[in-house]
Amino acid sequence: MNSILDLKFAKYFIDTCHQSWLKGWNERNGGNMSYRMKPEEAAECEKFFSYDNPEKPIGLSVPNLSGECFMVTGSGKYYKNILREPENNICIVKLDEKGENYRIVWGLKEGGVPTSELPTHLLNHSIKKELTNGEYRVIMHAHPANIVALTFLLPLEDKVFTREIWEMITECPIVFPAGIGVLPWMVCGSADIAYATGEKIKKYDAVIWSHHGIFCAGPDFDTAFGLMDTIEKSAEILIKTMSCGGKKRCITSEQIMALSEPYHVNIDKTMLE
Ligand code: 13P
Ligand code: ZN
């Protein structure tokens, strides 16, 4: 191995960023992504790490992530450039022994800092790690247009968004049986949005940030990307349906619940009440 970029996780990270760009979810520097590296991946990368950069405060405390390494997108870096110049647009940060400070140990060769949403990514990694026994490793944030459009149209309630989005594609309740969380408009990059997202991520894998975008968590790149893709496609169908005069018929709550048994998923019935 000649470079961190030869490793499978790094290739997957870069490819997923590029796929997200091709979807149109990341205008300019919009959106960010993080991956909690496995211990064996961090060990393989160690020989390429530099400890010259200073430690900086995360702004909140994530003790269960102490000493862990994350591949993350750079703040202000354009998604369209990640595939062509990964080392200038992404980085690896390593947390200290308390989980209160981070250091850039690789990447952002021409300068820069990790995404401004780092506190939100790390706090939500911390919560998902705890809740899934370490299974969840990927967090993606992006600005898909139809999801954002819906936040100007529907009441900003978890139940309303879940019901409407579940209904547009039959497989939605199978893909995200717990539903979707919705937050009101908040200042992005703040500790407040980190904690508010953290409360919702305890229950859901997807949290919509009103008039801004969506935040998805998953065990791997495909699952997190697939979740965002499914929700955005469903939101697109809803916008098209609304634009054509609204629904003339719908999938009933009974029909949605009928998916639970054959697909062995626990669809949250309370979302339909
Ligand atoms: P960064 O460029 O700092 O990642 O910010 C982009 C963004 O989408 C903020 O919510
Ligand atoms: Zn954003």
Side-chain angles (χ1 to χ4, degrees):
M1 177 180 90
N2 296 321
S3 150
I4 283 175
L5 299 173
D6 294 334
L7 288 172
K8 192 175 169 192
F9 84 86
K11 288 183 180 167
Y12 233 112
F13 184 100
I14 293 161
D15 182 63
T16 306
C17 288
H18 195 64
Q19 297 299 328
S20 188
W21 156 251
L22 294 177
K23 283 278 183 189
W25 301 340
N26 304 89
E27 76 292 339
R28 205 174 179 277
N29 64 307
N32 25 76
M33 192 163 80
S34 62
Y35 170 70
R36 188 168 61 82
M37 290 162 59
K38 295 177 180 166
E40 60 272 24
E41 291 166 339
E44 262 190 291
C45 292
E46 182 66 44
K47 64 177 183 243
F48 298 105
F49 287 173
S50 149
Y51 290 83
D52 294 343
N53 287 313
E55 273 194 345
K56 291 190 179 159
I58 297 166
L60 44 78
S61 182
V62 283
N64 69 334
L65 301 180
S66 65
E68 292 212 57
C69 292
F70 294 81
M71 183 165 267
V72 297
T73 49
S75 185
K77 303 294 182 185
Y78 286 34
Y79 259 64
K80 79 177 180 63
N81 296 335
I82 292 176
L83 180 65
R84 193 167 26 89
E85 290 181 37
E87 279 182 87
N88 289 330
N89 293 289
I90 64 175
C91 65
I92 294 175
V93 296
K94 188 169 184 173
L95 305 199
D96 70 355
E97 290 314 310
K98 286 188 178 155
E100 289 178 359
N101 299 286
Y102 74 87
R103 187 198 305 270
I104 297 172
V105 291
W106 176 88
L108 291 174
K109 260 174 41 183
E110 291 178 353
V113 292
T115 171
S116 55
E117 305 288 2
L118 190 68
T120 308
H121 280 252
L122 293 178
L123 183 72
N124 286 274
H125 273 295
S126 165
I127 292 167
K128 282 299 193 191
K129 181 185 176 187
E130 175 86 25
L131 289 175
T132 67
N133 288 322
E135 198 199 337
Y136 274 41
R137 295 193 172 274
V138 176
I139 287 183
M140 284 177 69
H141 162 61
H143 303 163
N146 293 286
I147 292 170
V148 177
L150 283 182
T151 67
F152 292 96
L153 297 167
L154 299 178
L156 303 178
E157 293 165 24
D158 299 2
K159 266 192 183 182
V160 175
F161 269 75
T162 299
R163 177 75 174 85
E164 293 292 334
I165 290 177
W166 268 357
E167 199 184 314
M168 289 298 116
I169 302 179
T170 291
E171 300 206 347
C172 280
I174 302 165
V175 177
F176 45 101
I180 308 171
V182 184
L183 288 179
W185 184 89
M186 296 182 79
V187 175
C188 44
S190 63
D192 283 353
I193 206 168
Y195 289 118
T197 307
E199 281 310 306
K200 297 274 184 192
I201 214 85
K202 288 177 186 165
K203 182 168 180 198
Y204 310 110
D205 283 345
V207 180
I208 292 173
W209 290 355
S210 290
H211 323 320
H212 182 157
I214 185 165
F215 194 86
C216 290
D220 51 51
F221 295 107
D222 281 349
T223 311
F225 184 91
L227 176 60
M228 194 175 287
D229 201 9
T230 307
I231 296 171
E232 171 59 4
K233 175 92 178 274
S234 204
E236 183 182 349
I237 297 170
L238 185 51
I239 291 289
K240 284 182 171 162
T241 305
M242 289 167 123
S243 312
C244 294
K247 287 183 238 174
K248 303 285 187 288
R249 63 198 62 83
C250 62
I251 301 179
T252 66
S253 299
E254 291 71 31
Q255 287 172 325
I256 290 175
M257 288 313 296
L259 296 163
S260 275
E261 205 192 304
Y263 288 95
H264 312 290
V265 286
N266 191 14
I267 297 172
D268 185 352
K269 201 173 161 195
T270 63
M271 289 292 174
L272 300 167
E273 285 163 358

